[in-house]
Amino acid sequence: YGVPGTGKTHDVLKEVKELTESNDKYYKVVQFHPSFSYEDFIDGVKPVGNKDGNLQLGLVNGIFKEMCIEAYKELERYKENPENAKKFYFIADEINRAELSRVFGELLLCLEDTKRLKFVDGIVDGALIETQNASLWEEGKHEVVKIKDKLYFGVPENIYFIGTMNDIDRSIESFDLALRRRFVWIKKETNYKVIEKVLNESMNDKNAIKQYLRCCENLNKKIVELIGNNYQLGHSYFLKIVPLGNSIPDVSKRILFQNELKPILTEYLKSIFDEKDIAKHLEDLSNIFIPKRKDTNDTNS
């Protein structure tokens, strides 16, 4: 979690692709949104076809349940040596934009480390539950686990569930406490060293890079002072600068501010200030990012 533009999804996806050797059988990226539902996530009745002009309905597995089914099959293959089972990664991008208590449903219990499905001495252990649609399940199609002719849902221990969220969209406090405590929270902040590293690859003027970094930091400091810490701009915004040769001229910064920074800052300011004050604040922010240069020809009289 953190401010927009800090590379949360980018970094997670990069690491997961390295771990899975980019095999998309073992990872899924799903962007959550207000209409994303339990039916999309676990299972639900949906249209499955059309017969003689009549719409056919059927129970369809959601995307996370499908991953649980595949992960359990993998775990079962290695039940004598479960540490050898492949890992699966479910990435919920912008996780806080969905109505999470409804999306997760019974999954809250199964997500706990101690409730995960695992094999102990070749026997499955962990929380085995029936979902709200269990009465509609067909064997071999909808269950994760079958034990003594009974069908169950559960979350295998070889699944990693990763969520990303922007502070600005909704605060962490809006998370259901029961859900919040099931996650490790890692804060991502604007990383000016990333900007420095990228610019060093394309230009040699260390002083020009240092001056640009100072402008970026000063802009964020002013944003914090004006509207709060959660409204800072992440390093990916500042990486959109286009150097000219071995320099970063004011015209490049002006284009970046006008095309990339100003629109998002305008939206931030609208949530706090009246329309008449926004233009003045934008001008102040622009002057901080593109400081007016002293005329070197001025002399004291």
Side-chain angles (χ1 to χ4, degrees):
Y1 73 103
V3 300
T6 48
K8 297 177 290 296
T9 305
H10 173 272
D11 291 349
V12 165
L13 191 53
K14 180 183 177 185
E15 188 168 348
V16 165
K17 282 184 175 181
E18 288 174 359
L19 291 167
T20 60
E21 297 179 338
S22 294
N23 187 337
D24 60 11
K25 175 184 177 180
Y26 300 108
Y27 73 91
K28 290 286 182 288
V29 183
V30 180
Q31 188 173 70
F32 279 23
H33 50 80
S35 61
F36 190 79
S37 67
Y38 177 92
E39 290 74 19
D40 300 313
F41 192 56
I42 303 296
D43 58 27
V45 176
K46 294 184 177 183
V48 292
N50 192 303
K51 186 176 181 181
D52 300 327
N54 296 315
L55 188 66
Q56 304 293 303
L57 299 176
L59 186 66
V60 178
N61 289 332
I63 190 166
F64 184 69
K65 184 178 170 189
E66 277 293 329
M67 179 174 276
C68 289
I69 291 171
E70 291 304 314
Y72 181 76
K73 288 177 183 176
E74 174 73 12
L75 205 59
E76 196 171 32
R77 273 194 288 271
Y78 293 92
K79 61 183 177 182
E80 302 302 331
N81 298 287
E83 66 277 2
N84 293 332
K86 292 276 192 183
K87 306 293 191 294
F88 289 70
Y89 301 86
F90 187 91
I91 303 167
D93 190 33
E94 300 195 34
I95 186 173
N96 55 317
R97 295 190 64 227
E99 191 180 333
L100 294 179
S101 57
R102 182 174 182 275
V103 169
F104 278 78
E106 308 93 341
L107 180 62
L108 276 182
L109 171 70
C110 303
L111 273 181
E112 290 189 29
D113 286 344
T114 56
K115 302 294 193 298
R116 296 294 192 94
L117 300 182
K118 55 186 172 293
F119 282 91
V120 179
D121 297 327
I123 298 172
V124 67
D125 182 51
L128 297 168
I129 66 171
E130 295 180 339
T131 73
Q132 56 190 267
N133 294 313
S135 61
L136 302 174
W137 285 359
E138 295 177 39
E139 185 179 325
K141 189 175 180 181
H142 297 118
E143 81 278 7
V144 174
V145 186
K146 177 186 174 185
I147 298 178
K148 295 180 181 179
D149 295 327
K150 291 209 69 175
L151 310 180
Y152 296 101
F153 171 79
V155 180
E157 67 173 354
N158 57 330
I159 284 184
Y160 288 86
F161 191 105
I162 304 165
T164 68
M165 63 174 278
N166 290 327
D167 282 348
I168 202 66
D169 293 334
R170 196 187 295 177
S171 71
I172 293 167
E173 284 68 31
S174 69
F175 259 62
D176 183 284
L177 183 60
L179 181 58
R180 202 190 319 167
R181 66 183 175 82
R182 285 167 169 81
F183 285 87
V184 172
W185 292 82
I186 301 170
K187 188 172 181 64
K188 297 280 286 181
E189 300 188 81
T190 305
N191 190 338
Y192 300 101
K193 289 189 181 298
V194 170
I195 306 171
E196 183 177 18
K197 179 177 181 293
V198 172
L199 290 177
N200 271 325
E201 292 171 358
S202 59
M203 49 190 297
N204 299 317
D205 191 334
K206 307 294 184 187
N207 190 50
I209 294 173
K210 192 179 293 184
Q211 287 178 356
Y212 178 63
L213 291 173
R214 192 178 301 121
C215 291
C216 299
E217 291 185 61
N218 288 342
L219 177 61
N220 267 338
K221 284 178 184 176
K222 183 62 179 178
I223 290 170
V224 171
E225 177 188 317
L226 196 60
I227 49 181
N229 191 63
N230 291 345
Y231 293 86
Q232 291 185 73
L233 300 173
H235 44 269
S236 67
Y237 286 101
F238 299 120
L239 284 171
K240 294 177 181 180
I241 193 71
V242 179
L244 185 62
N246 205 32
S247 68
I248 301 176
D250 285 352
V251 66
S252 293
K253 288 191 282 186
R254 198 168 289 114
I255 291 170
L256 174 62
F257 188 87
Q258 190 67 28
N259 295 344
E260 302 288 346
L261 310 187
K262 185 177 178 181
I264 191 171
L265 289 172
T266 300
E267 291 305 310
Y268 290 169
L269 292 166
K270 277 181 182 177
S271 66
I272 298 173
F273 295 102
D274 293 332
E275 196 71 37
K276 59 183 177 60
D277 296 321
I278 293 174
K280 174 64 171 63
H281 289 309
L282 286 172
E283 184 181 359
D284 290 344
L285 291 167
S286 175
N287 289 337
I288 287 170
F289 186 61
I290 315 159
K292 293 179 180 177
R293 300 178 184 277
K294 293 180 180 179
D295 189 344
T296 55
N297 293 321
D298 284 351
T299 56
N300 293 326
S301 57

